[in-house]
Amino acid sequence: MTAQETLDNVEKALEEIRPFLMSDGGNIKLLSIEDFVVKVQLEGACTGCSVNQMTLKNGVEATIKKYAPQIEEVINVA
């Protein structure tokens, strides 16, 4: 998979999960993809949420890996 295909697939994954985040007053922004690590920034209500790490791993990371299995990790850059 090319870098552009990976980027497109990660964007598709974020579009799938974004409505769930927005329904709770949050959002997510893609910052970069480096060495199979996706860096995102949780926004809005997600920044102070006590379960944001669970959302990041169980929701965001799982969805991204569904679209781009080569991704190893998703991290939030505050």
Side-chain angles (χ1 to χ4, degrees):
M1 189 175 292
T2 68
Q4 185 60 50
E5 289 171 328
T6 299
L7 175 63
D8 292 345
N9 285 343
V10 169
E11 288 285 1
K12 285 178 194 172
L14 292 179
E15 287 303 316
E16 181 179 311
I17 198 134
R18 192 168 275 126
F20 299 102
L21 298 175
M22 293 175 92
S23 71
D24 287 332
N27 206 343
I28 190 166
K29 177 168 63 172
L30 176 63
L31 299 177
S32 66
I33 303 171
E34 302 167 14
D35 300 322
F36 305 107
V37 175
V38 175
K39 294 182 180 178
V40 297
Q41 185 173 39
L42 293 171
E43 300 176 327
C46 292
T47 58
C49 179
S50 62
V51 294
N52 69 10
Q53 284 304 309
M54 188 169 48
T55 298
L56 187 68
K57 293 296 175 187
N58 296 339
V60 177
E61 187 173 283
T63 304
I64 287 175
K65 286 181 175 182
K66 181 173 74 174
Y67 283 86
Q70 72 277 22
I71 296 300
E72 296 171 358
E73 185 179 21
V74 178
I75 57 173
N76 180 43
V77 178

